[in-house]
């Protein structure tokens, strides 16, 4: 079969001050194929996409669409020639209606007015194609993140694209929704669309892609047929060194530190009317308690109650055996509890502040305004954690917003480790992070746990929860339905538990 | 471009570069039309001259701009500072009042209430105004512009109530020292500005206040999740801002020797916001510069001075002021400068 590629990128180079982000990278997209772009954080995936969609101008190389040289200079231009993109972070307006979001910037006009009827009808059709049936006149913010993501995809599809780029579209979707998205992608494939799919999930890569291009450190490593590249080979090409996932899992699961006799944090009947039904949790020092459950089962809500963010109206919390009232994050921090939130960008980092300031922030907050850490000490602390956690940055004074996702997450971890916490709540600590950084972060978590930290671990990847947890509390529909010891659990047993609760 | 020395480029990029350039340009304009602009002479042991005059007259604005900077850095705004000035001024003027008493041939000034007590009382009332604003913004979660609008509207009425609708004149000589006096040749008001400035800079750089304010301004949720009591911080920032307005009120009232509930501190809030913006602090919150806001206040005062000394007809001087502010804001716009730089580069290459 000699199908001509619809889009060819060749010899693409792009440098930012101090770093060469792309060095002679190539990429070919074929009509009717899903092409996975793989690589660790900082491999250059995002930059390559930005070059393709006109957000960044390449320093060298050429892009050909159907044989013709193109040089998009802005997203609108790329869209006009048939390259549509759905970005990792949802780029929509939460206060506008779903229909407005889908048609924003290109409202059809009838006479002197915007043709709302057409907009609503076509929005409904576009979403129906993705098997989503919602009231498109409601504001976007009234829907869960997953639906918002589908709206973003519907928006990209409705622009009559030839090439669709999906930059980590699934990081906030649960399995059902991913499957729905994949169905839609398969339909598009059949219509001959070329799809570029960026993800960190190996399962998804293999479930949908036909072809895989791997980047490493801004360089092109190779293009492979998905069927001809085993998972292990894929990981090894991405990482550039041998990681045996299976043995890694065995190793970490076998290690259990010395577990304290009494729980550090013990929640009893903790609940909040309308948000979370009363829940009992015991979290021990030296142990990882995983929260298992599907999207919307109450994982994040549980974490927020324990950190004093959300109001609780029933139950008690004991910290170190003492009954306490955690009604603000500040209180929780004073009791040695730390929290890495799910949404790194809006709840974690302070983007324009330096890495140093971000790292010492929680420690300084606990010390109060007047016991100011001298700059020199701040620098020592920051440098120590940058080295210890392997945060890749030229120096600690760089704004944290300029780091890659994985490094931001490590800096947030550093922020809490600097406060010497007794318990750490990690809500999706590996979301949007590449495999190597994921493994690194999990290893850091494990190491802290062995040192006697109590950890509450939340992840939508069940395999990850199973890998690190000593015990797993299973949640369903905003209540706890049971607890399993980590060594007895596998995905099947957890899913059976979730399914069994229905009967 | 590449041949420019590195320190020069770093200077270009410094956040205070453009505010300083603007101020220097305005001074040069003044100098062009009035060669005596930079002259300073000593009369009766006090410094006199245009520059001293500008500094002295800018003092209230500089004070309020400092408080406003912190409020704006937390993503807020306080449009009630003018009203707070009116209230504090009314309080201090009615508490002091004063009269000249001649007893046994000895003249002495007598105030209704001891002056220190009156000043403390007026500052306490200003603090109260700030606590009210802070309560609405941080406690009730109202939008800052609406929350402070309440006091802005009500404040002048309250001031009128205190002065019973009259302009209260102060007849108590020692009080005039604050707004008109000199100490070692330098206006007293400048000492007040200096004390507040130094205290504030110490607080910002020697405590975590600066870090926390920036954190709250950039990402309030993340700041709160880090254990910062964002609400308490915002609350006290409004309180501080009102106190700076109270201090400014002392200088203004002392300077004009009376309190006018209707006109004291009129439009001061807008000048203060403008000063903060001219000084390079973004209204979006986050990074801020106290020194920048002081320069901004000086820019406004120098501009006012220039308008008066150039003899612009008073009926159109607001238009001239607006035009200059417009130009200044354009100069300081990053987007416009980038556009100009591209244009210059292109014509440079073509040549």
């Amino acid at each position: 079969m000699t199908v001509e590629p619809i889009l060819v990128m060749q010899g693409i180079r792009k440098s930012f001050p101090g770093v060469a982000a792309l060095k002679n990278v190539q990429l070919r997209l074929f009509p009717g194929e899903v092409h996975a772009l793989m690589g660790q954080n900082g491999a250059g995936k995002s930059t390559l996409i930005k070059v393709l969609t006109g957000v960044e101008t390449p320093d060298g190389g050429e892009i050909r669409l159907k044989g013709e040289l193109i040089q998009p200079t802005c997203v609108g231009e790329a869209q006009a020639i048939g390259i549509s993109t759905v970005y990792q972070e949802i780029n929509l307006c939460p206060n506008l209606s779903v229909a407005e979001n889908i048609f924003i910037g290109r409202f059809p006009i009838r006479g002197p007015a915007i043709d709302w009827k057409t907009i609503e009808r076509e929005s409904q059709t576009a979403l129906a194609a993705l098997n989503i049936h919602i009231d498109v006149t409601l504001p976007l913010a009234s829907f869960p993140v997953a639906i918002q993501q589908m709206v973003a995809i519907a928006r990209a599809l409705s622009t009559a694209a030839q090439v669709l780029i999906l930059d980590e579209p699934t990081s906030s979707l649960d399995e059902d929704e991913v499957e729905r998205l994949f169905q839609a992608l398969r339909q598009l494939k059949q219509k001959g669309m070329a799809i570029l799919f960026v993800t960190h999930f190996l399962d998804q890569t293999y479930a949908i892609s036909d072809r895989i291009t791997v980047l490493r450190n801004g360089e092109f490593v190779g293009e492979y047929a998905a069927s001809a590249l085993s998972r292990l080979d894929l990981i090894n090409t991405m990482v550039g060194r041998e990681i045996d996932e299976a043995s890694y899992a065995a190793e970490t699961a076998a290690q259990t530190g010395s577990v304290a006799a009494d729980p550090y944090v013990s929640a009893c009947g903790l609940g909040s009317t309308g948000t979370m039904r009363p829940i009992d949790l015991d979290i021990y020092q030296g142990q990882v308690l995983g929260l298992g459950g599907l999207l919307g089962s109450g994982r994040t809500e549980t974490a927020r109650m324990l950190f004093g963010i959300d109001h609780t109206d029933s139950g008690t919390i004991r910290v170190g055996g003492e009954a306490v009232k955690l009604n603000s994050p500040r209180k929780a921090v004073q009791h040695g509890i730390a929290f890495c939130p799910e949404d790194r960008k809006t709840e974690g980092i302070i983007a324009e502040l330096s890495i140093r300031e971000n790292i010492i922030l929680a420690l300084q907050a606990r010390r109060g305004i007047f016991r100011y850490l001298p700059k020199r000490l701040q620098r020592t602390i920051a440098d120590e954690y940058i080295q210890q956690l392997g945060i890749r940055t030229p120096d600690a004074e760089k704004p944290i917003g300029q780091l890659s996702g994985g490094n931001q997450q490590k800096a947030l971890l550093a922020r809490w480790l600097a406060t010497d916490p007794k318990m750490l709540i990690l809500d999706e600590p590996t979301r949007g992070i590449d495999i190597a950084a994921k493994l690194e972060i999990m290893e850091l978590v494990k190491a802290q746990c062995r040192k006697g930290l109590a950890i509450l671990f939340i992840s939508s990847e069940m395999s990850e929860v199973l890998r690190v947890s000593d015990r797993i509390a299973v949640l369903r529909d905003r209540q706890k339905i049971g607890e399993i010891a980590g060594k007895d659990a596998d995905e099947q047993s957890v899913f059976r538990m979730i399914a069994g609760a229905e009967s | 471009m590449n041949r420019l020395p590195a320190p020069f480029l770093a200077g270009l990029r410094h956040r205070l570069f453009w505010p300083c350039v603007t101020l220097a340009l305005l001074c040069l304009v003044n100098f062009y039309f009035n060669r005596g602009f930079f002259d300073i002479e000593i009369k009766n042991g006090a410094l006199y001259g245009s520059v001293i005059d500008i500094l002295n007259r800018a003092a209230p604005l500089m004070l309020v701009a400092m408080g406003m900077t912190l409020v704006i850095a937390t993503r807020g705004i306080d449009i009630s500072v003018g009203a707070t000035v009116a209230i504090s001024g009314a309080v201090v003027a009615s508490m002091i009042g004063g009269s000249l008493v001649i007893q046994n041939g000895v003249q002495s000034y007598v105030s209704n209430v001891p002056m220190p007590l009156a000043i403390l009382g007026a500052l306490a009332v200003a603090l109260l105004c700030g606590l009210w604003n802070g309560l609405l913004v941080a406690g009730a979660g109202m939008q800052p512009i609406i929350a402070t609008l309440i006091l802005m509207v009500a404040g002048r009425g309250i001031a009128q109530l205190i002065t019973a609708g009259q302009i209260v004149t102060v007849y108590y000589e020692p009080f005039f020292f604050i707004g008109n006096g000199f100490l070692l040749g330098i206006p007293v008001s400048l000492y007040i500005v200096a004390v507040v400035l130094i205290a504030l800079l110490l607080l910002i750089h020697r405590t975590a206040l600066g870090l926390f304010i920036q954190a709250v301004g950039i990402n309030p949720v993340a700041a709160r999740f880090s254990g910062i009591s964002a609400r308490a911080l915002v609350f006290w920032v409004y309180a501080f801002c009102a106190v700076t307005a109270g201090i400014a009120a002392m200088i203004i009232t002392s300077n004009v020797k009376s309190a006018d509930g209707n006109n004291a501190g009129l439009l001061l809030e807008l000048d203060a916001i403008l000063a903060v913006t001219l000084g390079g602090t973004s209204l979006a919150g986050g990074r801020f510069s106290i020194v920048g806001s002081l320069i901004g206040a000086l820019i406004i005062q120098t501009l006012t001075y220039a308008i008066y000394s150039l003899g612009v007809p008073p009926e159109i001087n607001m238009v001239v002021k607006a035009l200059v502010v417009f130009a200044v804001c354009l100069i300081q716009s990053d987007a416009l400068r980038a556009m100009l730089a591209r244009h210059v580069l292109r014509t440079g290459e073509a040549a």
Side-chain angles (χ1 to χ4, degrees):
Chain A
M1 216 170 65
T2 55
V3 184
E4 282 293 305
I6 183 168
L7 183 113
V8 180
M9 299 177 84
Q10 236 162 7
I12 303 291
R13 286 183 291 109
K14 175 76 193 175
S15 297
F16 295 110
V19 269
L22 294 175
K23 296 170 251 179
N24 199 20
V25 170
Q26 63 180 76
L27 179 73
R28 301 189 300 165
L29 298 183
F30 292 82
E33 267 193 17
V34 175
H35 191 132
L37 183 60
M38 305 288 291
Q40 298 187 61
N41 280 339
K45 299 178 309 253
S46 296
T47 313
L48 188 65
I49 286 173
K50 281 180 183 161
V51 165
L52 182 54
T53 53
V55 178
E56 302 276 0
T57 324
D59 300 335
E62 55 171 41
I63 310 172
R64 282 178 190 278
L65 184 69
K66 289 183 178 160
E68 274 188 44
L69 210 56
I70 56 165
Q71 258 184 328
T73 54
C74 70
V75 180
E77 210 174 302
Q79 226 168 55
I81 55 176
I83 302 175
S84 278
T85 316
V86 175
Y87 290 99
Q88 183 173 1
E89 268 97 27
I90 297 169
N91 281 324
L92 297 172
C93 310
N95 53 335
L96 296 185
S97 77
V98 170
E100 282 171 310
N101 267 295
I102 291 179
F103 276 90
I104 198 164
R106 50 195 177 85
F107 289 132
I109 305 286
R110 199 173 53 186
I114 293 174
D115 186 358
W116 291 109
K117 282 231 172 71
T118 310
I119 292 177
E120 276 161 31
R121 200 182 49 241
E122 304 225 330
S123 303
Q124 227 131 28
T125 332
L127 284 169
L130 298 169
N131 215 355
I132 304 264
H133 303 278
I134 53 172
D135 183 353
V136 295
T137 57
L138 291 180
L140 185 74
S142 57
F143 295 102
V145 178
I147 298 286
Q148 296 185 18
Q149 188 77 56
M150 299 298 254
V151 170
I153 292 167
R155 170 177 156 72
L157 292 181
S158 66
T159 57
Q162 299 174 305
V163 175
L164 175 66
I165 301 166
L166 300 166
D167 189 0
E168 296 213 34
T170 56
S171 49
S172 47
L173 303 190
D174 71 16
E175 279 173 48
D176 269 0
E177 289 157 334
V178 169
E179 192 39 53
R180 246 192 240 177
L181 170 66
F182 282 3
Q183 273 169 16
L185 292 186
R186 285 187 199 106
Q187 280 174 19
L188 293 170
K189 230 167 88 170
Q190 251 149 29
K191 287 184 196 154
M193 187 181 281
I195 298 168
L196 181 65
F197 183 57
V198 182
T199 184
H200 288 308
F201 299 101
L202 293 182
D203 289 340
Q204 294 178 5
T205 306
Y206 282 99
I208 190 85
S209 354
D210 306 288
R211 202 180 286 270
I212 299 174
T213 286
V214 178
L215 300 184
R216 189 169 69 225
N217 296 331
E219 281 175 86
F220 174 79
V221 181
E223 186 197 272
Y224 313 90
S227 52
L229 185 71
S230 78
R231 282 171 192 236
L232 207 57
D233 288 343
L234 173 59
I235 295 175
N236 287 337
T237 40
M238 275 164 51
V239 176
R241 65 187 138 94
E242 305 274 314
I243 285 188
D244 188 339
E245 226 189 326
S247 74
Y248 175 83
E251 176 210 352
T252 47
Q255 291 160 343
T256 19
S258 55
V259 178
D262 295 313
Y264 181 68
V265 170
S266 171
C268 184
L270 195 66
S272 169
T273 313
T275 330
M276 195 68 204
R277 283 187 240 180
I279 186 171
D280 298 336
L281 282 179
D282 288 324
I283 305 155
Y284 293 84
Q285 288 189 290
Q287 224 187 36
V288 178
L289 174 66
L291 284 188
L294 305 176
L295 196 73
S297 60
R299 298 174 309 211
T300 298
E301 288 78 359
T302 306
R304 290 171 67 101
M305 287 195 308
L306 287 174
F307 196 59
I309 296 168
D310 289 341
H311 170 76
T312 55
D313 51 17
S314 68
T316 54
I317 300 181
R318 303 177 82 82
V319 176
E322 199 184 320
V324 292
K325 189 126 187 68
L326 299 179
N327 48 15
S328 72
R330 191 177 159 71
K331 276 262 183 67
V333 172
Q334 276 162 357
H335 284 102
I337 302 175
F339 175 53
C340 285
E342 179 182 18
D343 194 333
R344 224 171 14 241
K345 203 164 129 191
T346 61
E347 300 179 338
I349 61 165
I350 316 256
E352 287 134 66
L353 291 188
S354 68
I355 300 166
R356 164 179 60 82
E357 288 168 314
N358 268 283
I359 287 180
I360 59 107
L361 192 62
L363 177 60
Q364 182 65 64
R366 206 181 57 186
R367 290 169 64 96
I369 281 190
F370 294 105
R371 290 167 61 215
Y372 189 45
L373 291 160
K375 281 258 164 63
R376 204 150 33 95
L377 186 57
Q378 291 186 16
R379 219 160 284 151
T380 318
I381 295 172
D383 287 340
E384 193 186 305
Y385 280 102
I386 286 174
Q387 206 203 352
Q388 195 184 326
L389 305 191
I391 300 171
R392 274 175 279 282
T393 172
D395 69 289
E397 297 306 315
K398 201 169 154 180
I400 196 169
Q402 292 178 12
L403 293 183
S404 70
N407 284 316
Q408 285 179 3
Q409 188 65 62
K410 286 186 198 164
L412 288 184
L413 217 50
R415 174 190 290 173
W416 289 115
L417 294 181
T419 65
D420 192 20
K422 302 285 187 299
M423 176 172 115
L424 179 59
I425 304 170
L426 296 164
D427 194 357
E428 303 277 4
T430 61
R431 170 178 290 180
I433 291 175
D434 68 73
I435 275 270
K438 247 181 209 177
L439 295 182
E440 259 179 83
I441 284 174
M442 308 270 277
E443 182 48 46
L444 288 171
V445 167
K446 270 301 202 185
Q448 290 303 322
C449 183
R450 283 195 291 275
K451 283 190 206 155
L453 192 64
I455 291 174
L456 182 68
F457 186 88
I458 301 173
S459 170
S460 50
E461 282 181 78
M462 192 59 79
S463 59
E464 211 170 77
V465 177
L466 290 164
R467 196 158 62 213
V468 292
S469 305
D470 298 294
R471 286 179 306 131
I472 297 166
V474 182
L475 303 181
R476 182 182 167 277
D477 290 341
R478 301 178 186 275
Q479 66 175 319
K480 182 174 158 186
I481 52 172
E483 210 168 284
I484 338 180
K487 59 178 188 308
D488 303 334
D490 55 27
E491 274 187 57
Q492 281 313 309
S493 60
V494 174
F495 287 139
R496 265 200 304 277
M497 205 161 174
I498 294 171
E502 262 170 7
S503 53
Chain B
M1 277 303 270
N2 292 334
R3 258 166 282 157
L4 292 175
F8 180 74
L9 282 176
L12 263 181
R13 251 176 260 129
H14 194 276
R15 53 191 306 146
L16 292 184
F17 177 77
W18 289 105
C20 286
V21 166
T22 311
L23 184 58
L25 273 178
L26 277 171
C27 286
L28 284 178
V29 168
N30 271 312
F31 180 66
Y32 180 79
F33 289 103
N34 167 15
R35 288 304 150 102
F37 181 72
F38 289 111
D39 293 353
I40 291 174
E41 47 185 329
I42 303 175
K43 278 188 213 159
N44 308 329
L47 298 176
Y48 281 96
S50 308
V51 177
I52 299 293
D53 201 35
I54 287 174
L55 282 169
N56 192 8
R57 284 182 187 282
L61 182 55
M62 289 199 273
L63 285 165
V64 178
M66 284 194 266
M68 187 70 78
T69 309
L70 298 193
V71 169
I72 286 179
T74 62
R75 286 193 181 182
I77 200 150
D78 184 350
I79 56 171
S80 71
V81 286
T84 306
V85 164
I87 295 175
S88 289
V91 170
V92 79
S94 10
M95 280 178 87
I96 292 177
S99 50
L100 181 63
V101 178
I102 303 176
Q103 222 169 14
N104 306 332
V106 183
Q107 291 188 0
S108 64
Y109 296 100
V110 177
S111 59
N112 298 348
V113 180
M115 189 173 87
L117 201 65
I119 291 177
L120 275 181
L123 291 181
V125 170
L127 177 66
L128 217 59
C129 293
L131 296 180
W132 165 257
N133 284 335
L135 201 67
L136 293 187
V137 175
M142 281 172 82
Q143 300 242 11
I145 195 162
I146 298 301
T148 55
L149 180 74
I150 294 169
L151 186 59
M152 180 195 176
V153 173
R156 298 207 174 267
I158 296 170
Q160 301 272 347
L161 279 178
I162 297 170
T163 63
Q166 307 290 315
I167 293 177
V168 176
T169 312
V170 180
Y171 302 98
Y172 183 66
E173 191 85 24
F175 182 63
F176 305 154
F177 186 65
I178 300 174
N180 302 300
F182 287 84
L183 207 64
L184 302 173
I186 297 170
V188 173
S189 60
L190 292 184
Y191 287 99
I192 298 173
V193 172
V195 167
V196 175
L197 173 67
I198 291 168
L200 194 53
L201 287 180
L202 280 178
L203 267 177
I204 287 167
H205 294 291
R206 293 293 160 84
T207 75
L209 183 70
L211 177 69
F212 287 179
I213 286 180
Q214 289 181 28
V216 169
I218 297 169
N219 190 340
V221 178
R224 192 164 77 90
F225 285 9
S226 303
I228 296 173
S229 9
R231 282 164 67 172
L233 191 75
V234 169
F235 178 77
W236 287 111
V237 159
Y238 280 88
F240 173 77
C241 181
V243 169
T244 60
I247 300 172
M250 296 308 106
I251 297 177
I252 294 171
T253 313
S254 158
N255 190 262
V256 298
K257 302 175 185 174
S258 65
D260 177 353
N262 266 330
N263 292 308
L266 198 62
L267 297 185
L268 185 64
E269 54 277 344
L270 299 184
D271 274 346
I273 294 166
L274 184 60
V276 173
T277 321
L278 290 178
T281 298
S282 157
L283 283 181
R287 293 276 186 201
F288 66 93
S289 167
I290 294 289
V291 177
S293 301
L294 291 190
I295 295 174
L298 289 176
I299 291 174
I300 294 173
Q301 194 59 44
T302 311
L303 175 60
T304 312
Y305 187 91
I307 289 173
Y308 285 130
S309 69
L310 295 186
V312 174
E315 60 271 22
I316 64 158
N317 72 19
M318 291 305 262
V319 178
V320 176
K321 189 173 169 184
L323 283 175
V324 177
V325 166
F326 171 65
V328 168
C329 292
L330 274 187
I331 294 176
Q332 296 198 15
S333 142
D334 285 330
L336 183 86
R337 280 210 305 274
M339 237 164 71
L340 284 177
R342 270 202 302 275
H343 182 73
V344 168
L345 274 181
R346 225 174 310 155
T347 42
E349 275 166 19

